[in-house]
Amino acid sequence: METIRINCEPNIKSKIVEFLNNFSSNDYKIIKEDVSFMNDKKKLEATLEKMANGTAEFYSLDELDNYLEKTISKYED
């Protein structure tokens, strides 16, 4: 089986479901949206927007390494 995702207005959704009723329920399965997927999607869209408008903060590998070293050292004791 293949999966497709459709964003649509509620009135269109009812028409799509009505159309699907013409087929056997063995031929398709309606999958409800995953809440964690939707939350991740919102976070990624916000990050992408920051990157697009120039407000995102970027770090070099050295800066990341320093940050990780400090964080790890806090919990080593």
Side-chain angles (χ1 to χ4, degrees), residues 19-49:
F19 172 73
L20 289 174
N21 286 331
N22 294 318
F23 301 97
S24 164
S25 60
N26 294 329
D27 294 336
Y28 70 93
K29 177 180 176 184
I30 296 176
I31 302 170
K32 301 220 184 272
E33 288 292 347
D34 181 349
V35 174
S36 64
F37 170 82
M38 295 307 290
N39 290 336
D40 291 344
K41 181 181 175 188
K42 285 179 187 175
K43 289 177 189 175
L44 290 170
E45 287 173 340
T47 300
L48 182 60
E49 179 61 30

Side-chain angles (χ1 to χ4, degrees), residues 45-59:
E45 287 173 340
T47 300
L48 182 60
E49 179 61 30
K50 286 180 180 179
M51 291 171 70
N53 69 22
T55 60
E57 290 187 48
F58 297 95
Y59 299 94

